[in-house]
Amino acid sequence: MHALYKIRKNVDFHCLPANLACKIFDSVISPILLYNSEIWGAYIDNDFAKWDKTVTEKAHLKFCKLYLGVNRKASNLASRGELGRYPLQISILKRILRYIKNICQLPDSCIAKQVFHYSKELYMNNNESFYSNVIKVLKRYLPELDDTMDLETFTKDTIVDSFIKKSVKDNYVSFWNDQVRNSRKLSFYYTFKKKYKMEEYLNTIKDPSQRRMFAKFRISNHKLLIEYGRYQNIPREERYCKLCGTQKVEDEFHFAFECQNYENIRNDSSNILKNIFQMTLVTESKQNLLSHVISSTDSVLIDLFSKFIAKCFNIRDKSLQTRDTN
């Protein structure tokens, strides 16, 4: 964490393209976090659901949220998902397998290899060891492996990068999809986030403030009552918009497409957005339209829509201040 804050003092992550910011993290911070993890990594809990509580992953999540410009209450799943980042435990497993592969290539007289063989003997005698723990981790991703397998053959015959991609990363994406689908906090996010990858807007939107506001809108880390109301113990169905008096829940769709408080901004939008806003569609179709727009790969459309969202949030803040003053 100290290294992350040190870099933050000298580099404004918000001004960097996402791929460059991630490259800096992977080159400078990650090696510190994962130092010697090819050993201690075999003794950690590899449960995806529990991993976020570890010091290592907390630092990783801190970076993700710092870059996106969201606060600590933002969803861990969405914060990693926007950047297409995988939990560091996957990198640790990759390091472990490469370490074992290198160990096996050493001469038998090498102390490191002798220790590895001793660890294997403990495993063969049903005792816990480095060897047994690695076997346990592999079976998590490849349950068809039997007890007769040995790590020497596995690391020799298996292309590590391919195994990590096809078995481990795919396993995490399945876990991630299940978690997002069942999260009420991410119900809006689930409507449009279909692929686990770095989102293009992070590299195409050049204005850091505009990009930050758009990220907050996408992952529901904003002050709309659909999200903010949960911290005020307001029932979800009663989180009404305070600005239009329609008794409609102030969610992302209402904010972007319905609320009359922002109608002037919609009317003053470019023709591309105006045509979208003025389409005569039933509510369900308009909700699908919002999902289509927010997940678009058209850099022009995303730039226009993210500017619109930023303007609406500014108007919302001013309107609420005026309302509270009066």
Side-chain angles (χ1 to χ4, degrees), residues 9 32 47 104 112 115 119-120 131 135 137 168 203 242 253 281 289 292 304 313 315 324:
K9 285 184 178 180
I32 298 173
D47 187 341
C104 293
V115 171
S119 177
K120 182 178 181 179
Y131 199 100
I135 293 286
V137 173
V168 184
N203 290 306
K242 296 180 179 180
F253 172 72
L281 299 169
L289 183 60
H292 171 74
L304 291 172
F313 272 113
I315 292 294
D324 293 340

Side-chain angles (χ1 to χ4, degrees), residues 191 251 253 257 282-292:
T191 64
D251 57 14
F253 172 72
F257 274 72
V282 297
T283 299
E284 184 177 355
S285 296
K286 281 191 174 182
Q287 289 173 336
N288 292 334
L289 183 60
L290 172 59
S291 297
H292 171 74

Side-chain angles (χ1 to χ4, degrees), residues 228-256:
Y228 203 63
R230 75 172 63 246
Y231 305 112
Q232 300 174 327
N233 295 318
I234 301 174
R236 188 180 181 87
E237 65 278 5
E238 296 178 13
R239 297 171 191 172
Y240 303 130
C241 178
K242 296 180 179 180
L243 297 176
C244 64
T246 57
Q247 292 289 289
K248 289 191 175 182
V249 173
E250 189 187 32
D251 57 14
E252 292 83 0
F253 172 72
H254 176 75
F255 178 75

Side-chain angles (χ1 to χ4, degrees), residues 32 36 68 70 74 84 108-109 172 186 190 192 197 208 214 219 223 230 237 240 252 257 280 320 326:
I32 298 173
N36 207 31
L68 293 174
V70 299
D108 291 339
S109 58
Y172 174 72
L186 297 176
Y190 182 69
F192 62 84
K197 64 181 182 65
F214 194 53
I219 70 174
K223 291 189 176 181
R230 75 172 63 246
E237 65 278 5
Y240 303 130
E252 292 83 0
F257 274 72
T280 305
L320 288 175
N326 296 334

Side-chain angles (χ1 to χ4, degrees), residues 14-15 68-69 205-216 306 309-310 314:
H14 300 302
C15 295
L68 293 174
I205 297 178
K206 304 305 179 184
D207 185 333
S209 297
Q210 178 185 336
R211 186 176 62 224
R212 186 184 309 123
M213 190 63 72
F214 194 53
K216 288 184 174 183
S306 59
I309 292 298
N314 287 333

